[in-house]
Amino acid sequence: MSSRREFIKSSGLLMGASLTTAPEDLFAAQKKKMSGAGSLKLRFRPYILNLKHAFNLATSSRTTTPVVLTELEYDGVIGYGEASMPPYLGESHETVTKFLSKVDLSKFDDPFEMENILRYVDEIEVGNRAAKASVDIALHDLVGKLVKQPWYKIWGFDASKTPLTSYTIGIDTAEVVRQKVKEAAPYKILKVKLGRDTDKMMIETIRQITDKPICVDVNQGWKDKSFALEMAHWLHERGVIFLEQAMPKEQIDDNAWLTERSPIPTVGDEAVQRLDDVLKAHQVYHGINIKLMKCTGMREAHKMLTLARALNMKVMMGCMTETSCAISAAAQLAPMVDWADLDGAVLISNDVYKGAEIINGKVTLKDLPGIGIKKI
């Protein structure tokens, strides 16, 4: 562990560096065309996502997810955003709408001042990451529409390089697990939630039906490092390709111990929320799971991706249960990641947008401006 601490100490200057460069020429050209009479107007409304199946994790179960849908308008152009609040984030309709009511964008008359705008939003209060993400996503969508380009093109990414996405199977009975595996037929990779005393049953049930690659997410459900290592070997023998957040994030040394010995890559999820967590995760996990709702949105997600790559870490792009708005926003980064878990919109029955799709198990981007969505 001493080498990891020394690396973090010696790399501290990275945290103060800007990890993204705005495409100034593209933005400047469009700014000349704008009337200059516009102002940024933020609107938002609460919404409830209905899940097709109960979502069972190591420590919780739910059938709905609260979200807040945002709109950011400038000069007649509207950008769409979203805050999704699963319970562990500690946010709710009340906290998000309260935070968004404090956001005063009247001081900004230029949407291309993205760094200044999003820094202001981030500094209003500590926390409220999903609420901040809803503004960030809407601003990215708006600016992409103003320059008439999707963000994956603005960032210089190749849409053909998007990975396969996994389909999530929550903890359940053997009968329901079989049903979910059948529903996941179009997907090439399965993501399985573990962390209870039914772990081996879950995997064995799936293996009775399919030999597709599996990734597992324990959601901090295992507490003992020796047990976690034993399970890592057992899972490896059954075609599991990586192990996500096996133990509580506070057990830093235990997670690092597991990473040194695991036959499959380990991924930090709950342990990696924002940019400054990426350095802390180096040598504790093989990779990180970036989610827009954890890190305040696309701006910081891009910075996390850049830093993780500089550290030679694996990167996964994940999601909560979300509409196609937030999924499409996250998908703009998908061409640069190793793994994707962007099935959040297919797990709900009342989406309100159409955007990035899963075709033959692959994240497929639309050649539409902004984050590439349309209202249904």
Side-chain angles (χ1 to χ4, degrees):
M1 294 302 295
S2 60
S3 62
R4 187 181 72 83
R5 294 191 185 99
E6 286 302 313
F7 181 88
I8 292 174
K9 182 178 179 181
S10 64
S11 303
L13 290 176
L14 276 174
M15 304 309 297
S18 174
L19 298 177
T20 59
T21 302
E24 299 293 348
D25 293 341
L26 179 65
F27 287 1
Q30 180 59 31
K31 286 169 71 173
K32 291 180 180 178
K33 300 177 184 178
M34 297 191 309
S35 67
S39 61
L40 287 166
K41 301 173 184 176
L42 177 65
R43 298 184 290 270
F44 50 90
R45 67 182 178 96
Y47 191 65
I48 295 288
L49 300 183
N50 297 318
L51 308 186
K52 294 177 181 177
H53 294 285
F55 198 61
N56 301 319
L57 309 179
T59 57
S60 65
S61 177
R62 68 179 190 275
T63 58
T64 62
T65 298
V67 300
V68 172
L69 306 177
T70 56
E71 294 183 359
L72 191 56
E73 183 174 355
Y74 179 84
D75 218 12
V77 179
I78 298 175
Y80 298 107
E82 174 181 4
S84 174
M85 295 89 67
Y88 86 90
L89 284 181
E91 295 182 70
S92 64
H93 277 157
E94 182 180 2
T95 63
V96 170
T97 55
K98 182 179 179 181
F99 177 85
L100 293 177
S101 297
K102 298 179 181 179
V103 177
D104 178 12
L105 299 181
S106 63
K107 63 185 74 177
F108 302 100
D109 58 7
D110 182 355
F112 292 94
E113 293 181 31
M114 297 181 72
E115 285 289 326
N116 289 338
I117 293 169
L118 295 176
R119 185 182 303 112
Y120 154 72
V121 172
D122 196 17
E123 292 175 351
I124 292 174
E125 285 183 4
V126 175
N128 299 286
R129 295 188 299 271
K132 293 171 182 177
S134 72
V135 180
D136 170 285
I137 294 168
L139 181 61
H140 278 80
D141 192 34
L142 172 65
V143 169
K145 288 174 177 174
L146 289 172
V147 298
K148 298 179 174 58
Q149 293 292 331
W151 270 94
Y152 70 85
K153 286 188 176 180
I154 294 172
W155 280 327
F157 299 159
D158 182 350
S160 70
K161 302 296 185 182
T162 56
L164 296 169
T165 186
S166 54
Y167 181 90
T168 303
I169 298 176
I171 299 170
D172 225 311
T173 64
E175 180 181 359
V176 175
V177 168
R178 291 189 190 96
Q179 179 186 346
K180 290 179 178 178
V181 172
K182 291 177 182 177
E183 291 177 2
Y187 296 81
K188 313 297 184 183
I189 302 174
L190 302 178
K191 180 174 180 177
V192 183
K193 297 290 188 178
L194 300 182
R196 297 186 185 175
D197 58 5
T198 56
D199 288 351
K200 290 189 175 182
M201 178 277 290
M202 292 279 298
I203 301 300
E204 288 169 344
T205 299
I206 293 169
R207 280 291 171 250
Q208 291 170 6
I209 305 171
T210 181
D211 61 357
K212 289 179 181 179
I214 296 172
C215 51
V216 302
D217 184 3
V218 188
N219 290 115
Q220 309 182 87
W222 300 338
K223 311 303 179 187
D224 178 75
K225 66 181 183 181
S226 296
F227 174 78
L229 181 60
E230 178 185 330
M231 285 297 296
H233 281 283
W234 187 87
L235 292 166
H236 176 57
E237 293 169 359
R238 285 152 183 82
V240 171
I241 57 176
F242 69 80
L243 175 61
E244 186 178 348
Q245 202 63 64
M247 293 178 285
K249 62 182 182 180
E250 295 83 7
Q251 294 178 213
I252 297 172
D253 289 346
D254 288 346
N255 279 297
W257 181 91
L258 175 64
T259 294
E260 290 173 1
R261 295 163 176 79
S262 175
I264 53 179
T266 61
V267 176
D269 180 9
E270 285 87 347
V272 185
Q273 304 287 322
R274 300 199 60 176
L275 179 61
D276 60 0
D277 293 320
V278 178
L279 273 176
K280 297 173 186 176
H282 185 253
Q283 296 184 352
V284 177
Y285 306 95
H286 292 112
I288 63 171
N289 186 355
I290 300 173
K291 296 178 181 177
L292 301 187
M293 298 303 139
K294 293 191 302 181
C295 73
T296 73
M298 296 169 67
R299 166 180 170 264
E300 188 148 329
H302 187 270
K303 293 180 179 181
M304 292 174 72
L305 170 62
T306 304
L307 179 56
R309 286 304 189 208
L311 296 171
N312 199 31
M313 297 182 76
K314 296 285 188 181
V315 178
M316 176 182 182
M317 196 73 215
C319 66
M320 312 299 181
T321 42
E322 302 165 350
T323 73
S324 289
C325 176
I327 294 297
S328 298
Q332 302 301 309
L333 294 154
M336 296 298 290
V337 306
D338 299 286
W339 307 299
D341 180 34
L342 296 176
D343 64 342
V346 303
L347 301 178
I348 65 174
S349 60
N350 58 337
D351 203 348
V352 290
Y353 303 100
K354 185 174 179 61
E357 296 181 292
I358 311 301
I359 299 177
N360 294 322
K362 181 181 172 70
V363 179
T364 306
L365 291 160
K366 302 285 189 182
D367 189 14
L368 295 172
I371 60 174
I373 63 169
K374 293 183 177 181
K375 274 190 170 182
I376 295 177

